[in-house]
Amino acid sequence: MRHFSHFAAIDWSGARGARQRGIALAVASGTAAPELVRPGHIWSRAEMLDWLEGVATSGIDMLIGFDFSAAFAFADREAYFPEWPESPADLPSLWALVEHLTAADPHYEVGGFLAHPQARRHFRHGRGDVGDLFEAGAGRLRVVEQHQRATRQAASVSNFNLVGAAQVGKASLAGMRLLHRLSGRMPLWPLDPVPRAGPLLVEIYTGLAARAARVPAGRSKIRDGAVLDAALAELGSPPVRHIGPIGDHASDALLTAAWLRAIAHDPARWAPAPLTDTLARTEGWTFGIV
């Protein structure tokens, strides 16, 4: 089983603007308590890309989890965007299309993609503004999302839904712009083979870390240092020893970095039964879902 010495978790945001309070980054090194990278700093997406590029060139043995989806549903219709002739055939082509249509958007925003007359047909944009190809109800789900719902490992929201606090579509599109730039420079599991050394990207869901740490359902957002340390203890991690209130984005990143360290040695996490080569190329998978 591949050995990693460092484990990083990125809590992500798809909001508009140069800097995002919803972005946080934590690293758990060796057996030490996880630590925030640049605590108190308000990150930009460009700065996060710079950090990732630095890790890519360093060759450090780091498993890096990002909290957004690498793809949209494909398997159910054999296309990301049915009825669109330019619908891509795989993950890298999807990221390239998103980048092509958002090239004029600043700060890795995604308005250009969502305004495209073909793309917008597939999304729920707002109350009374629903594309004619948005699937009625919850919206289309990837195989991993259907699987985690069916097995009750986690809840899922369609990436085609852009409405509500739980929506992840915009964040995922913004993240795809970063993945486009990292493609060929830092491998992404399961699209790419796991390298013998160096960094590796995986898609994560911070709610899995909260569940593993026995955080009560419905209260997965930790905003107190003592509560965070209790959750870290459930994962076998030393405490952070933060006193008093803590932002939930920071706590998500800290807890998930420790969770990645706790599960990365488990072979089952790297070989979930439903995952196929075709899914790896088109939809990807959320690390930790078995």
Side-chain angles (χ1 to χ4, degrees):
M1 197 63 229
R2 169 69 196 279
H3 172 75
F4 295 94
S5 57
H6 299 76
F7 303 85
I10 300 170
D11 201 36
W12 189 242
S13 172
R16 297 181 63 184
R19 297 186 178 275
Q20 308 299 328
R21 295 186 180 275
I23 296 178
L25 169 64
V27 175
S29 300
T31 59
E35 297 182 349
L36 291 173
V37 177
R38 302 183 71 178
H41 178 68
I42 303 175
W43 287 82
S44 70
R45 285 182 281 263
E47 288 174 334
M48 188 59 69
L49 176 61
D50 288 344
W51 184 84
L52 287 165
E53 289 176 330
V55 172
T57 57
S58 73
I60 190 169
D61 293 322
M62 181 180 288
L63 183 62
I64 305 167
F66 55 82
D67 188 26
F68 59 82
S69 298
F72 293 100
F74 185 97
D76 59 342
R77 304 292 171 80
E78 297 187 352
Y80 297 116
F81 310 108
E83 300 188 25
W84 187 2
E86 294 182 27
S87 184
D90 55 26
L91 283 162
S93 300
L94 171 63
W95 306 336
L97 176 64
V98 172
E99 176 60 29
H100 173 68
L101 295 178
T102 58
D105 290 309
H107 317 306
Y108 296 97
E109 295 175 7
V110 296
F113 181 86
L114 294 173
H116 188 277
Q118 286 290 340
R120 68 171 286 106
R121 299 178 66 193
H122 298 268
F123 292 86
R124 175 189 283 147
H125 301 268
R127 183 175 298 179
D129 185 7
V130 181
D132 65 299
L133 295 179
F134 179 82
E135 187 171 283
R140 293 170 61 202
L141 297 171
R142 296 185 296 163
V143 170
V144 66
E145 294 156 354
Q146 297 170 14
H147 178 68
Q148 64 193 26
R149 276 191 171 193
T151 56
R152 298 187 177 182
Q153 295 182 66
S156 303
V157 178
S158 172
N159 295 324
F160 291 102
N161 174 46
L162 308 177
V163 182
Q167 69 89 10
V168 293
K170 292 178 183 177
S172 296
L173 283 164
M176 290 175 198
R177 298 192 66 182
L178 267 66
L179 294 176
H180 174 69
R181 285 161 174 76
L182 293 169
S183 183
R185 304 169 63 189
M186 186 184 293
L188 167 67
W189 177 88
L191 173 66
D192 302 306
V194 176
R196 293 186 177 182
L200 176 67
L201 287 166
V202 293
E203 176 186 321
I204 56 172
Y205 174 47
T206 58
L208 289 175
R211 177 172 293 192
R214 301 182 186 276
V215 177
R219 288 185 284 171
S220 62
K221 294 301 181 183
I222 297 174
R223 298 182 174 89
D224 178 81
V227 175
L228 173 61
D229 282 348
L232 288 168
E234 292 284 348
L235 298 175
S237 172
V240 171
R241 302 191 189 282
H242 179 91
I243 305 300
I246 185 170
D248 59 319
H249 300 294
S251 66
D252 278 350
L254 289 161
L255 188 65
T256 307
W259 171 76
L260 279 173
R261 176 172 59 191
I263 70 166
H265 68 281
D266 181 2
R269 309 285 182 161
W270 298 95
L275 180 61
T276 64
D277 290 343
T278 299
L279 283 179
R281 292 192 306 271
T282 57
E283 292 195 351
W285 197 263
T286 305
F287 186 72
I289 295 292
V290 294

